[in-house]
Amino acid sequence: MGKTTTASARNISHGRGPVWLTFVAALAATAGFFAYGWSLYPGLPDMSFTQFLAAGMTVFLAGLAAVSVRAFPPRPEATAWELHRREGMARGTIAALGLTSLALAVTLGLQGPQGGTGPDRPTAPPALLSIPLFLLVVIGSYAVAARWAARAAARAGVAPTAQEAAADRLWISGIIYNNPEDARLLVPRREGAGYGLTINLGNRAGRIGAICFVALVVLVPLALGVLAWQS
């Protein structure tokens, strides 16, 4: 990477600190549930395991976020707009993993006595209902981060070229590809978003696959959670 590109990327990345606070919030929530559960049921065996699991997941996801944002450096010839876009994706990754860790901390905290429900009452509904929440958290984090990148670029007097603007319109929230003119079902993930493939929602088969995914990952757990809550 060229020195100019490296310096520009570092300048743009200033101010990431508040995004990392989502992991601090997750640890604080875990500690709070632990203290509350302990006050209700001192020494309950499964209480410590659940909260240690939540804390461990938070540390793991924080490490994963740190590695992810450093694993894909920008190209030496990256434009100022690309650097802002990539910074938005980096912040989206941190926020998505941080908020996921917070959601996990709350979900695990609500299991059993930690949530004040008592040891004899199962709490499967919160766990099932949280699955759709995780998906919304990820998509929402990247959407908000993409808007931040656009505003930050505008404040810096940076605008995308016509080609860059056209490419941005093909990516929903920067991570979901939607190009009806592209016949491919699977396309490489966008530069800066890691390796691997993603589905093209502009393809009919891609839309069917996305609907099946949403039904399996969102609607089914949501329905089961509602039924369990009512039983």
Side-chain angles (χ1 to χ4, degrees):
M1 189 190 311
K3 292 183 179 179
T4 301
T5 300
T6 302
S8 298
R10 287 177 179 173
N11 290 335
I12 295 171
S13 67
H14 286 167
R16 280 187 192 172
V19 188
W20 288 100
L21 291 178
T22 50
F23 293 102
V24 177
L27 291 175
T30 298
F33 279 116
F34 179 87
Y36 181 57
W38 188 270
S39 69
L40 294 177
Y41 309 99
L44 200 63
D46 64 346
M47 181 173 64
S48 297
F49 172 77
T50 302
Q51 300 310 317
F52 278 123
L53 176 61
M57 287 301 299
T58 297
V59 173
F60 170 75
L61 290 175
L64 181 61
V67 171
S68 297
V69 298
R70 290 180 175 273
F72 308 101
R75 299 175 297 113
E77 66 275 16
T79 65
W81 175 261
E82 182 179 345
L83 292 177
H84 280 86
R85 179 186 65 77
R86 291 175 63 97
E87 176 61 22
M89 295 194 70
R91 296 189 183 214
T93 298
I94 297 169
L97 293 176
L99 291 174
T100 296
S101 69
L102 178 58
L104 282 171
V106 173
T107 299
L108 292 174
L110 290 173
Q111 302 307 299
Q114 293 86 340
T117 58
D120 299 325
R121 181 180 175 184
T123 54
L128 290 170
L129 294 173
S130 66
I131 295 176
L133 175 62
F134 293 152
L135 183 60
L136 293 176
V137 162
V138 171
I139 296 176
S141 296
Y142 280 103
V144 172
R147 287 196 290 269
W148 170 88
R151 291 194 299 268
R155 289 194 298 269
V158 174
T161 64
Q163 184 178 4
E164 289 173 329
D168 289 342
R169 287 193 291 269
L170 299 178
W171 292 90
I172 302 172
S173 299
I175 57 173
I176 302 174
Y177 188 64
N178 181 29
N179 184 5
E181 298 180 359
D182 191 339
R184 295 175 297 172
L185 171 61
L186 298 175
V187 299
R189 298 180 66 181
R190 196 172 193 188
E191 184 179 349
Y195 300 112
L197 301 173
T198 188
I199 291 179
N200 176 15
L201 290 184
N203 184 293
R204 184 172 182 272
R207 289 193 294 273
I208 294 175
I211 292 173
C212 292
F213 174 80
V214 171
L216 180 64
V217 177
V218 177
L219 298 182
V220 171
L222 186 61
L224 292 175
V226 172
L227 290 175
W229 194 277
Q230 293 177 346
S231 63

